[in-house]
C-alpha cells in the first residue's frame, strides 16, 4: 500500500497539468511529504537511541498541512508509529481533514457555497450582538 501516496502525488501533478490547480500544489505536497518523512525518520532514530522525540502533535500537524503521504510512507517503510492505535486514528483524521481542504481548494463552486454560508452565519451573529 506504500504506492498509494505516490499515486496521490501523481494525481496532483495531473490536476496541475490539466490546469485545474497551480503547480505549487503538487510541489507543496511533495516538500511537505518529504519533510514529514524525514521527521518520522528522525523520530524513529531518536526512539531507538533514547534521545529527544518529536512530539506527536508536530507529526500530526505536518500530516494535516499536506505531508500525510510522507507520513504514510514513514509508517510503512520505517515501521514507525504503525502500532499505536490512538496515533493511527488521529493520523487518519488528519488525512480526512487535509482531503476536505483539498476538495474545497479544487472546487470553486463549493468554496462559493461555503462562503455564502459563512456570510449568512456571520450576519446572524452580528445581529445577535
Amino acid at each position: 500500500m506504500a504506492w498509494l501516496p505516490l499515486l496521490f502525488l501523481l494525481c496532483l501533478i495531473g490536476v496541475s497539468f490539466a490546469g485545474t490547480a497551480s503547480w505549487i500544489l503538487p510541489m507543496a505536497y511533495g516538500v511537505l511529504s518529504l519533510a514529514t518523512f524525514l521527521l518520522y525518520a528522525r523520530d524513529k532514530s531518536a526512539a531507538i537511541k533514547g534521545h529527544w522525540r518529536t512530539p506527536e502533535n508536530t507529526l500530526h500537524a505536518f500530516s494535516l498541512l499536506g505531508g500525510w503521504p510522507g507520513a504514510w510512507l514513514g509508517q510503512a517503510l520505517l515501521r514507525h508509529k504503525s502500532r499505536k492505535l490512538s496515533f493511527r486514528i488521529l493520523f487518519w483524521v488528519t488525512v480526512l481533514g487535509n482531503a476536505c481542504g483539498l476538495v474545497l481548494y479544487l472546487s470553486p463552486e463549493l468554496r462559493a457555497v461555503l462562503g455564502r454560508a459563512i456570510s449568512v452565519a456571520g450576519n446572524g451573529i452580528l445581529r445577535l450582538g
Side-chain angles (χ1 to χ4, degrees):
M1 292 288 278
W3 54 269
L4 204 55
L6 299 175
L7 178 63
F8 170 77
L9 293 172
L10 286 174
C11 287
L12 286 180
I13 291 170
V15 165
S16 295
F17 186 71
T20 306
S22 166
W23 284 99
I24 294 172
L25 185 67
M27 290 189 320
Y29 270 91
V31 168
L32 282 165
S33 292
L34 177 62
T36 306
F37 182 85
L38 293 174
L39 279 175
Y40 271 72
R42 187 178 79 180
D43 191 51
K44 174 76 174 194
S45 176
I48 291 169
K49 295 176 182 175
H51 292 156
W52 181 83
R53 305 281 304 278
T54 303
E56 288 185 356
N57 287 341
T58 301
L59 297 174
H60 288 310
F62 271 77
S63 292
L64 180 63
L65 291 173
W68 67 263
W72 186 333
L73 290 173
Q75 290 175 30
L77 300 177
L78 303 172
R79 297 191 181 278
H80 188 53
K81 298 289 188 183
S82 59
R83 287 190 166 182
K84 188 175 178 184
L85 183 60
S86 61
F87 183 89
R88 290 185 51 81
I89 289 170
L90 195 49
F91 166 72
W92 285 107
V93 169
T94 67
V95 173
L96 182 61
N98 181 266
C100 289
L102 181 61
V103 167
L104 279 173
Y105 173 77
L106 293 175
S107 172
E109 297 84 11
L110 190 54
R111 276 198 316 268
V113 168
L114 184 62
R116 284 192 298 273
I118 290 171
S119 176
V120 168
N123 288 337
I125 289 171
L126 289 174
R127 277 188 236 131
L128 290 175

